Amino acid sequence: MIQPHATKVLVIGYVWPEPRSSAASGHVMQILDTFLQQGWDITFSSPAGTGEHRADLTALGIREVPIELNNSSFDAFISELAPDIVLFDQFMMEEQFGWRVEKHCPNALRVLETSDLQSLRHARHQRLKDRLKASDDNNDFSDLFAPALREEFELMADTDLAKREIAALYRCDLNLMISKVEIELLVEQFKLPRNLLHWCPLMVEPACVPPTAFEDRAHFLSIGNFRHAPNWDAVLWMKTTIWPLIREQLPAAQLHIYGAYTPPKATALHNPAQGFHVMNWAEDALQVMSAARICLAPLRFGAGIKGKIVDAMLCGTPTVTTPIGAEAMHGEHPWPGAVARTAREVADCAVRLYKNEALWAQAQSHGQRLLADRYKTSEHGPALIKKLLHCQQHLPQLRRDNFTGSMLRHHHHKSTQYMAQWIEAKNRNLT
């Protein structure tokens, strides 16, 4: 129920949320639910078209208002709405609309929800491409996994994407970071003030019912939106190298691959004779995860933390992944499955867990403890609200202390404003 004088929040989304298609959208929905629990008045806007799996925000009491890029109609909209907090979902939305928010609602707290550092993910992708061009070895990628933060910085620092993304982080009053590794990278290497960053991982509550037992499960599972490049790359690595190694040891093994927006290049890999099944979108991801014995997430690049692995822990399904998949997810806790650096290690660990009930049960137990200690909504939700209220109360001082952000807003907003106005005028002349 919205309170009479509730805090007004405007969320500007890169897309309309599809929580059953991507972890990024799932995280946005968790944040929205946290706001709803406060009785806040929420409006969600996006310039994107509607996807086939979008959430029904209006059923939750959230207003949906489509907006346009490079159109002054947004100015009238936000002036009338007069939000107290504006949350940008992905840095491109801050680039597009940040200057308009500052001009028409200068006292609104500007918050960026990152999901992951896109510039880090893209830099790691380029490193993998370079490695694949340089070597025919499709087994050992240990040289790519978990390098020092300085190496990551040097990989990113000269890219246009990093300069855009880091600048957007500086321009905002607060940035929600899903990964503690990325927080340390930003603070230690890019020199962002730590008070601009708030750790807000995926937020879940562990299930109350016992997970499906070992003997009632079968097969391997991999899941993830095919539009997300790391997921597609993992499918290719499984198809060409990992899965044949598993089938050598378990000739009857079956792998079920689920993902939203399955392209023809993915369905072309479907081969029941090899036990390799491309299953398209899962209507209920937790249901298919609960039926599987092992989750495979052999990611060779990526950033942030992995929603599929959190789902696996919720379902009591051990996960075999790489250091990229496990990054920032478990802290000092034992991994709920296995972390491997080569295709052979992934296959051997997966087979061992699949066959050994005691080892499997131990991994399941590790996942349940990890969820309870690191991802509970009841801890991270209140911490987020507390941080937002603190920033609101100290906003003038926060902005004075962030001179770099103020300087970047001054220069960026002028150039973006003039470009947006030029595009709008051009579009008007074409109609």
Side-chain angles (χ1 to χ4, degrees), residues 311-328:
D311 284 348
M313 288 188 281
L314 280 169
C315 297
T317 308
T319 299
V320 180
T321 189
T322 64
I324 290 289
E327 182 178 83

Side-chain angles (χ1 to χ4, degrees), residues 50-278:
T50 56
E52 58 184 288
H53 306 306
R54 64 173 290 184
D56 185 358
L57 299 180
T58 56
L60 300 174
I62 299 172
R63 281 185 299 277
E64 297 181 356
V65 181
I67 52 178
E68 294 184 40
L69 299 173
N70 305 307
N71 194 311
S72 57
S73 60
F74 179 85
D75 302 346
F77 159 65
I78 196 169
S79 295
E80 181 178 354
L81 183 64
D84 303 294
I85 299 173
V86 176
L87 177 71
F88 304 102
D89 173 32
Q90 302 194 27
F91 80 90
M92 296 84 79
M93 294 298 94
E94 188 281 335
E95 284 186 327
Q96 288 286 339
F97 296 100
W99 69 272
R100 295 185 185 274
V101 172
E102 181 168 19
K103 180 178 180 181
H104 298 283
C105 295
N107 295 323
L109 182 72
R110 298 185 293 271
V111 183
L112 175 58
E113 197 282 314
T114 61
S115 291
D116 66 6
L117 272 182
Q118 295 188 37
S119 50
L120 175 61
R121 171 161 39 89
H122 282 257
R124 286 174 168 175
H125 194 183
Q126 186 59 51
R127 181 170 58 193
L128 173 62
K129 291 177 181 177
D130 294 342
R131 159 66 173 74
L132 292 173
K133 289 178 182 177
S135 173
D136 293 331
D137 179 11
N138 208 31
N139 173 58
D140 189 352
F141 292 88
S142 55
D143 56 318
L144 302 185
F145 295 142
L149 293 181
R150 184 65 191 178
E151 294 178 52
E152 301 281 34
F153 170 77
E154 291 175 353
L155 195 67
M156 299 165 62
D158 292 333
T159 66
D160 289 344
L161 189 61
K163 292 169 185 174
R164 290 171 54 199
E165 187 169 27
I166 303 303
L169 296 174
Y170 265 113
R171 288 192 297 265
C172 288
D173 302 311
L174 184 67
N175 300 278
L176 308 185
M177 306 300 302
I178 205 167
S179 162
K180 282 191 171 181
V181 169
E182 292 174 6
I183 290 177
E184 295 310 310
L185 175 64
L186 292 170
V187 171
E188 294 181 14
Q189 301 299 324
F190 288 95
K191 307 304 179 184
L192 264 80
R194 193 175 290 273
N195 68 348
L196 288 182
L197 309 172
H198 176 74
W199 182 47
C200 183
L202 297 173
M203 298 182 284
V204 298
E205 289 297 333
C208 298
V209 297
T212 308
F214 177 87
E215 63 272 14
D216 295 327
R217 295 170 181 251
H219 311 315
F220 296 84
L221 176 137
S222 183
I223 193 166
N225 190 322
F226 282 104
R227 288 179 175 175
H228 193 53
N231 295 334
W232 170 238
D233 176 75
V235 170
L236 290 177
W237 196 26
M238 286 189 288
K239 176 69 174 182
T240 60
T241 309
I242 295 171
W243 188 243
L245 294 173
I246 291 176
R247 291 272 287 192
E248 283 179 6
Q249 302 179 63
L250 295 174
Q254 306 291 311
L255 171 61
H256 296 159
I257 299 174
Y258 292 88
Y261 301 105
T262 310
K265 64 182 180 180
T267 54
L269 301 180
H270 180 72
N271 190 326
Q274 297 174 351
F276 198 91
H277 304 270
V278 179

Side-chain angles (χ1 to χ4, degrees), residues 9 11 21 28 33 45 59 79 107 112 121 123 140 149 152 166 174 248 278 280-281 305 320 326 348 369 397 404 431:
V9 181
V11 181
S21 299
V28 169
D33 185 62
S45 294
S79 295
N107 295 323
L112 175 58
R121 171 161 39 89
D140 189 352
L149 293 181
E152 301 281 34
I166 303 303
L174 184 67
E248 283 179 6
V278 179
N280 298 317
W281 184 64
I305 61 176
V320 180
D348 289 349
R369 286 198 295 270
Q397 185 64 48
T404 300
T431 58

